[in-house]
Amino acid sequence: MIFFFLFNFNPLIWEMVNSCSQESIFYNVLRLQNFQTRYSLSESAFACANFLYNKLLAYRLDSVYFQTFLPNYSPNVIGIKRGANQLESIYVVLCAHYDAISSNPFLFAPGADDNGSGTSALLEVIRILSNYNFEKTIRFIFFSGEEEGLLGSYYYCSLAKYVYEDSIISAINIDMIGYSIEGRDSASIIGKPNNPNCQPLVDYFISCADTYTNLRCIRAIIDRPRSDHASFNRFGYIAIHIRENLNINNPYYHTNGDTIGGGFNDLNLVYEITKATIATIASLSNPISSNILPIAKKILYNKKKIENRNILYNPLGQRISYNVKKGRMYFLKERNQFKKLIILK
Ligand SMILES: [Zn+2]
């Protein structure tokens, strides 16, 4: 006998997923890389925390604050979107660490994949979900001190458990989602087999991905406490880790080469994972209504018009001089700014 996992299609969630923008994700990765280093103990990690804080304010979340966990370490940045049910200590978590590391971390630790990719995915999820109302409260958390041993998330979870006694419905941790090799552009959805049992959340994420996106998911029910989800698990909370295919190793991991075009080489994978994350967080939080005003139509250029221009850039910022393909996204540069283009024919 075959059992089907029934999953209701929700047009409101479909609208959210389709609002996701590769361009917006790309610019955020670029912005994060441009901090030069986001090493937790560096000055520019504090600058990055401010950048994230201001982004969350701009997206009009209900509450935005820093959580300092150790002196000299840049703080966690937390944004809360209140649910209509008014239950603030029962909530869904979406998190990513924004700090980075390399062999000379005070000088240069670009961390485009680890974890500029996850940080940018979170910013994009927040940009979109901020336009909707949900029944449940959602917390978006940018952790610091991950590379020094999950310090920021450990602090957050220990307080959540023993001081605030929060009920966390589910936590999703996004860490390293922008690297692939040919034929392996898929995501590993990693959940602990027991204490706590995270398998249902893994299956839930995969169902959302299957319903709303083209993402290929690999189900991994293993104990792999190598990122911030482990802090949630440690305090008994259900939390899973979303990352690029677990069976490939990013050769630029924790090096100066973790830049756009090096350690970060697959914008489309980040895009699909971000869409799946939007669908999962929205489904878990039960959307009620939309605040969106009618959106202005995109300006589409045709191929002939583009070919009259001389230099195009792909979403990785690389110059493309010929072989422009239908349906792909390219950019023009004007006064050092990228301008979006979508090619029709
Ligand atoms: Zn990481």
Side-chain angles (χ1 to χ4, degrees):
M1 187 181 273
I2 299 168
F3 290 93
F4 290 100
F5 188 83
L6 289 177
F7 207 81
N8 286 337
F9 180 84
N10 181 330
L12 211 51
I13 295 177
W14 181 241
E15 184 184 274
M16 293 177 209
V17 167
N18 283 299
S19 311
C20 186
S21 155
Q22 288 205 26
E23 188 190 18
S24 155
I25 296 168
F26 175 77
Y27 282 125
N28 281 326
V29 178
L30 190 61
R31 180 68 191 87
L32 291 164
Q33 172 180 302
N34 284 349
F35 280 104
Q36 305 298 314
T37 176
R38 300 188 309 280
Y39 180 50
S40 297
L41 294 159
S42 69
E43 251 179 55
S44 54
F46 284 84
C48 181
N50 277 322
F51 162 77
L52 295 168
Y53 180 91
N54 288 325
K55 277 274 192 187
L56 299 190
L57 283 186
Y59 293 140
R60 306 176 314 279
L61 293 183
D62 297 302
S63 176
V64 182
Y65 60 98
F66 293 121
Q67 182 184 51
T68 299
F69 55 90
L70 271 178
N72 304 324
Y73 280 78
S74 64
N76 296 333
V77 184
I78 301 171
I80 300 176
K81 181 166 176 58
R82 288 205 184 92
N85 68 9
Q86 305 285 324
L87 301 171
E88 289 193 34
S89 61
I90 304 176
Y91 55 85
V92 171
V93 168
L94 178 62
C95 66
H97 75 86
Y98 70 88
D99 63 309
I101 202 161
S102 69
S103 52
N104 53 346
F106 277 106
L107 287 176
F108 195 60
D113 185 38
D114 186 13
N115 185 28
S117 61
T119 305
S120 300
L122 236 70
L123 286 171
E124 183 64 358
V125 173
I126 298 165
R127 183 181 76 81
I128 290 161
L129 297 198
S130 63
N131 292 316
Y132 296 84
N133 302 309
F134 298 86
E135 190 183 308
K136 298 194 179 86
T137 294
I138 310 171
R139 286 198 183 197
F140 302 101
I141 311 176
F142 297 91
F143 286 123
S144 175
E146 193 269 355
E147 302 292 6
E148 288 72 40
L150 319 181
L151 301 179
S153 59
Y154 184 90
Y155 183 80
Y156 178 88
C157 293
S158 60
L159 288 189
K161 177 77 175 181
Y162 293 117
V163 177
Y164 304 118
E165 300 182 346
D166 291 341
S167 298
I168 300 174
I169 298 163
S170 287
I172 294 178
N173 174 38
I174 315 283
D175 191 3
M176 295 178 70
I177 56 169
Y179 183 79
S180 75
I181 55 175
E182 207 169 342
R184 288 191 167 184
D185 52 343
S186 47
S188 289
I189 317 303
I190 306 160
K192 212 170 177 296
N194 47 49
N195 297 324
N197 176 5
C198 301
Q199 293 188 42
L201 186 57
V202 168
D203 293 332
Y204 193 91
F205 187 97
I206 294 172
S207 299
C208 289
D210 288 348
T211 306
Y212 295 102
T213 76
N214 299 318
L215 180 66
R216 282 184 296 278
C217 293
I218 302 168
R219 187 174 185 272
I221 307 301
I222 48 169
D223 194 2
R224 197 171 185 279
R226 306 231 330 236
S227 184
D228 293 315
H229 60 288
S231 294
F232 289 89
N233 292 160
R234 186 168 182 153
F235 291 96
Y237 294 120
I238 290 174
I240 60 173
H241 177 195
I242 315 301
R243 60 157 282 160
E244 64 218 16
N245 191 323
L246 201 54
N247 303 316
I248 55 174
N249 288 318
N250 187 335
Y252 302 98
Y253 175 66
H254 289 179
T255 72
N256 290 352
D258 188 4
T259 55
I260 292 171
F264 180 98
N265 69 358
D266 194 340
L267 182 61
N268 193 58
L269 179 63
V270 183
Y271 177 59
E272 291 298 331
I273 291 176
T274 305
K275 290 197 293 183
T277 306
I278 290 167
T280 307
I281 294 293
S283 300
L284 284 167
S285 311
N286 194 16
I288 300 164
S289 57
S290 159
N291 306 324
I292 291 189
L293 298 168
I295 300 167
K297 278 185 184 162
K298 280 177 190 159
I299 300 164
L300 305 177
Y301 288 70
N302 66 34
K303 195 171 175 180
K304 203 171 178 190
K305 190 167 173 187
I306 284 161
E307 281 172 346
N308 292 336
R309 308 277 200 132
N310 27 21
I311 303 164
L312 289 175
Y313 295 84
N314 69 14
L316 289 173
Q318 296 155 336
R319 283 171 67 150
I320 304 288
S321 43
Y322 59 94
N323 205 9
V324 179
K325 286 183 186 140
K326 191 179 162 183
R328 295 272 176 88
M329 184 172 72
Y330 299 94
F331 301 91
L332 283 176
K333 240 182 185 179
E334 277 175 16
R335 290 180 196 164
N336 264 344
Q337 298 273 342
F338 285 109
K339 256 186 131 182
K340 188 179 179 184
L341 285 177
I342 293 171
I343 296 160
L344 283 182
K345 288 183 180 181

